[in-house]
């Protein structure tokens, strides 16, 4: 995977030089606290982002600090490379979504992407590395600890830059949903849902649409000649999508699958909707809420 003459986005804020502690209590995940033995499960379960519907309802509303750049105390060559890739991907998503919004006579508001270590304050409460990458609609920021990419490779066997790009593009997809008012509508619908299973089903549709948006970004970047994919690149993203399906995670964690508790979709569904966005390059094909089946 390589970008053609592509610089980095100006909307990346590096907080890795800041202390991660002192921001108050940890963020709840699914109503459970994170223990040492469940950190890895939490990473996977919240892979590709915290459900915006949940973070909007969190009681802790810590205002994010003013934008600033601090050099991290130590940065490996791998981290420097990952940071560069993140900046490139974010810039290309800005180009893609600006073009799509302009075609609809609308203006795309670019999100900020915050790099952090361990923990950081957000408008949605305290963000923690154990949550995995996530988007906070309250401040329109994507939050990412680059250490997650190591987990993606070592624990989840989904290496490759395109798999990492997929992570960023998925979170940006949640930002697009926020701008389009989709997240707000889903939040309202979840509150009116008659059961937890019905509310979870809406979350699944939201997540699968973000997967489709990630594929849509890749399709546009390739079609416009800004991105070149090499052999195995798409497979790396597919591997990532497969590894973090709710069914796979539940089977690994508890030996059985409970579909009513899905919040992100099965492995098959995540792959299907990512490929749908990438194969079609059409925003209309990403409407998971009107799809006859997921």
């Amino acid at each position: 995977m390589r970008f053609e003459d592509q610089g980095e986005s100006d909307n990346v804020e590096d907080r890795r030089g800041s202390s991660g502690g002192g921001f108050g209590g940890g963020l709840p995940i699914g109503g459970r606290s994170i223990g040492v033995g469940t950190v890895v499960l939490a990473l996977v379960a919240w892979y590709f982002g915290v459900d915006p519907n949940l973070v909007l309802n969190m009681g802790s509303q810590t205002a994010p600090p003013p934008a600033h750049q601090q050099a991290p105390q130590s940065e490996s060559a791998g981290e420097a490379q990952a940071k560069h890739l993140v900046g490139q991907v974010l810039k290309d998503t800005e180009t893609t979504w600006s073009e799509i919004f302009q075609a609809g006579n609308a203006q795309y508001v670019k999100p900020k992407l915050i790099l952090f270590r361990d923990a950081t304050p957000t408008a949605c409460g305290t963000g923690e590395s154990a949550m995995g990458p996530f988007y906070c609609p309250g401040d329109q920021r994507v939050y990412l600890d680059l250490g997650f990419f190591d987990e993606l490779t070592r624990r989840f066997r989904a290496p490759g830059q395109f798999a990492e790009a997929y992570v960023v593009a998925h979170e940006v997809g949640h930002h697009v949903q926020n701008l389009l008012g989709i997240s707000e509508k889903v939040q309202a619908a979840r509150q009116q849902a008659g059961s937890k299973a019905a509310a979870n089903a809406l979350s699944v549709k939201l997540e699968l649409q973000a997967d489709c948006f990630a594929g849509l970004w890749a399709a546009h970047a390739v079609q416009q000649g800004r991105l070149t994919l090499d052999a195995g690149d798409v497979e790396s993203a597919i591997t990532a999508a497969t590894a973090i399906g709710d069914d796979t995670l539940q089977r690994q964690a508890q030996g059985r699958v409970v579909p009513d508790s899905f919040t992100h979709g099965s492995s098959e569904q995540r792959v299907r909707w990512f490929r749908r966005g990438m194969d079609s390059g059409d925003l209309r094909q990403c409407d998971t809420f009107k799809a006859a089946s997921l």
Side-chain angles (χ1 to χ4, degrees):
M1 168 186 150
R2 60 187 181 278
F3 288 99
E4 306 299 333
D5 300 324
Q6 179 81 343
E8 298 182 37
S9 170
D10 295 327
N11 292 306
V12 177
E13 179 184 336
D14 196 343
R15 294 184 188 170
R16 290 178 297 159
S18 302
S19 172
F23 299 127
L27 204 61
I29 295 185
R32 301 185 300 274
S33 60
I34 303 175
V36 174
T38 60
V39 168
V40 174
L41 177 61
L43 273 168
V44 185
W46 291 92
Y47 189 76
F48 289 156
V50 173
D51 179 1
N53 303 303
L54 296 179
V55 295
L56 278 171
N57 291 328
M58 290 174 185
S60 174
Q61 294 295 321
T62 305
H68 63 285
Q69 299 290 327
Q70 291 189 9
Q73 296 176 353
S74 61
E75 182 180 60
S76 67
E79 285 180 320
Q81 183 179 21
K83 179 185 177 183
H84 177 61
L85 175 67
V86 167
Q88 287 183 305
V89 174
L90 184 62
K91 182 173 182 178
D92 204 276
T93 62
E94 292 169 348
T95 299
T96 292
W97 287 109
S98 291
E99 292 173 350
I100 293 174
F101 271 58
Q102 287 173 3
N105 296 317
Q107 182 177 2
Y108 178 64
V109 179
K110 301 175 183 178
K112 283 277 190 180
L113 189 148
I114 310 300
L115 298 177
F116 71 99
R117 285 177 177 164
D118 300 325
T120 192
T122 83
C124 298
T126 300
E128 297 180 352
S129 298
M131 294 162 51
F134 66 96
Y135 172 71
C136 174
D139 55 24
Q140 297 191 355
R141 284 168 164 79
V142 172
Y143 291 87
L144 170 66
D145 185 328
L146 292 176
F148 182 77
F149 290 159
D150 293 332
E151 297 290 332
L152 192 62
T153 298
R154 291 185 290 113
R155 295 186 183 275
F156 310 138
R157 302 179 184 274
Q161 289 187 324
F162 193 52
E164 296 171 0
Y166 173 28
V167 172
V168 176
H170 175 99
E171 297 309 329
V172 172
H174 283 310
H175 175 65
V176 172
Q177 290 172 321
N178 189 38
L179 294 180
L180 295 176
I182 297 172
S183 299
E184 183 178 3
K185 290 180 180 178
V186 170
Q187 180 197 11
R190 279 175 51 88
Q191 293 174 344
Q192 298 296 321
S195 66
K196 185 175 181 180
N200 287 343
L202 290 167
S203 294
V204 167
K205 292 181 179 182
L206 196 73
E207 293 295 333
L208 294 180
Q209 186 178 63
D211 282 334
C212 190
F213 284 172
L216 179 65
W217 156 71
H220 276 251
V222 171
Q223 290 169 1
Q224 297 299 319
R226 299 190 305 267
L227 176 66
T228 299
L229 297 179
D230 299 319
D233 282 338
V234 174
E235 286 73 13
S236 71
I238 295 302
T239 299
T242 300
I244 47 72
D246 283 324
D247 53 341
T248 302
L249 302 181
Q250 288 184 355
R251 192 175 292 110
Q252 292 173 349
Q254 59 195 29
R256 62 192 179 93
V257 175
V258 184
D260 283 352
S261 66
F262 286 3
T263 58
H264 285 64
S266 69
S267 297
E268 181 181 359
Q269 288 171 330
R270 301 204 72 163
V271 170
R272 181 186 306 126
W273 282 96
F274 171 74
R275 296 221 65 142
R276 185 167 182 169
M278 191 166 184
D279 292 343
S280 70
D282 184 354
L283 185 65
R284 294 168 296 183
Q285 295 298 316
C286 291
D287 192 348
T288 55
F289 298 93
K290 292 183 178 179
S293 64
L294 297 177

